[in-house]
Amino acid sequence: MATARQTPGPPLPLAGITVVSLEQAVAAPFATRQLADLGARVIKVERPGGGDFARRYDTTVHGQASYFVWLNRSKESLTLDLKSAEGLEILHELLADADVFVQNLAPGAAGRLGLGPEDLQARYPSLIPCTVSGYGTSGSWADRKAYDLLVQCQTGLLSLTGTPDEAVRAGISVADIAGGMYAYSGVLSALFTRATTGRAPAVEVSLFDALAEWMSQPAYYTRYGGTQPPRVGARHATVAPYGPFTASDGKDVLLSVQNEREWAALCERVIGRPELTDDPRFATGSDRVAHRDELDAIISVRFAELGSEEAMELLDDANIANAGVNSVAEFLDHPALGERDRWREVAVPGTSSPVRALLPPADLSGVSPRMDPVPAAGEHTESILTELGRTPDDIARLRAAGVCP
């Protein structure tokens, strides 16, 4: 099969790798987009009649969904009816030459299509199957639907985020992102295993297991401390002072004290009350957490006397970590992005106006990641079928039959 489009420069790390994906929503598309960033050819197989339902989450990015634009650049889109014999046959032709197969279909759907990992490994020994599920593929929870917020609930994350009066969803899809990241790293590990041993291991990741790993610190704290960390809004549940304080100009400034040197510097150089350093209410980290309300009240009084810029300057001079609490608009203009040239332009369907997209976080020296267009649904159907040997008449017939509309 033809190789993926490449950016100018040296070959990308995954050039020559082909990924076929039956993906939807967030977790699996995030994993495959990162493989595409590194040069893999990703063929996204979408259902007829609209494709990935994430295309319709919203219309804010030049008429496209913000989730979809984020997760699907540099891919090729093939619409395929897998309920038809010919559609399934075309998928198998793709899998015969692919290196990786990723799917996050509804529970049991891949198995019913004969696309479970055991079936695929028996038929294509060098293919790496990757399954992204909600709660794993075994046990009594295997058949349950698992959307991001449901998994946040089940892992206990919602019991940690918010205020004492109200639990709050994390503002981004953390379960999906965690699952996508572990699927991505799992596939990379499997590719390395195949390259070094010849064995192509199957990869399985569940959103629940991924977020469960991220819950390990509060899990340890709860199991061995006897009580779980409380919900304390934007403050840290087990470190104090660590949270936002409102300056006189209304801007919130977050500060973090991690050790006794920083605590002493905060008392002497920012609050202006050095006697608090050895105050028995605040002498140790545990003391400060236990008397958080009293401590926060003292800091709040001082911040009410300071503008936000003045407060951050004092904290900087005392070598205490701090940050203004930014809006998303302020983040978009952050100097740590602009000064370091972290933005690129990516084309999206239906408009000549590109969108700004961030470079992938992992910089590899001498490597420029792919930042190719976001595909329209079925945009590459004809070119992919042609590669598979279908004639124009064949393609017209498949389209008319609804196999590849």
Side-chain angles (χ1 to χ4, degrees), residues 194-213:
R194 191 185 70 170
T196 54
T197 70
R199 185 175 69 88
V203 177
E204 181 177 339
V205 174
S206 79
L207 305 190
F208 183 83
D209 290 344
L211 197 56
E213 168 66 22

Side-chain angles (χ1 to χ4, degrees), residues 214-282:
W214 289 14
M215 284 289 295
S216 291
Q217 182 274 323
Y220 278 121
Y221 187 97
T222 300
R223 182 181 294 276
Y224 298 104
T227 180
Q228 77 170 48
R231 289 200 304 265
V232 288
R235 286 164 169 75
H236 196 291
T238 59
V239 180
Y242 194 160
F245 297 89
T246 303
S248 62
D249 56 11
K251 173 82 172 178
D252 285 343
V253 176
L254 187 141
L255 65 87
S256 172
V257 168
Q258 299 278 316
N259 54 55
E260 303 315 313
R261 183 205 62 75
E262 292 179 353
W263 167 240
L266 181 73
C267 294
E268 296 169 10
R269 302 175 64 177
V270 181
I271 302 175
R273 294 183 58 182
E275 73 277 7
L276 293 175
T277 302
D278 299 318
D279 187 309
R281 295 173 297 171
F282 313 130

Side-chain angles (χ1 to χ4, degrees), residues 24 45-53 56 78-81 105:
Q24 54 199 352
V45 179
E46 301 193 65
R47 69 190 74 191
D52 184 344
F53 57 75
R56 297 176 294 283
L78 164 69
T79 49
L80 200 57
D81 179 8
L105 300 179

Side-chain angles (χ1 to χ4, degrees), residues 357-405:
L358 287 168
L359 285 168
D363 288 328
L364 304 180
S365 60
V367 173
S368 296
R370 287 175 66 200
M371 304 287 284
D372 287 345
V374 176
E379 179 179 343
H380 303 89
T381 297
E382 185 170 343
S383 62
I384 292 171
L385 292 177
T386 300
E387 287 179 39
L388 294 175
R390 302 308 193 273
T391 67
D393 288 344
D394 293 332
I395 295 170
R397 180 184 59 78
L398 290 168
R399 289 192 184 281
V403 176
C404 303

Side-chain angles (χ1 to χ4, degrees), residues 126 128 185-203:
S126 65
I128 295 167
S185 61
V187 167
L188 292 179
S189 298
L191 286 168
F192 181 80
T193 299
R194 191 185 70 170
T196 54
T197 70
R199 185 175 69 88
V203 177

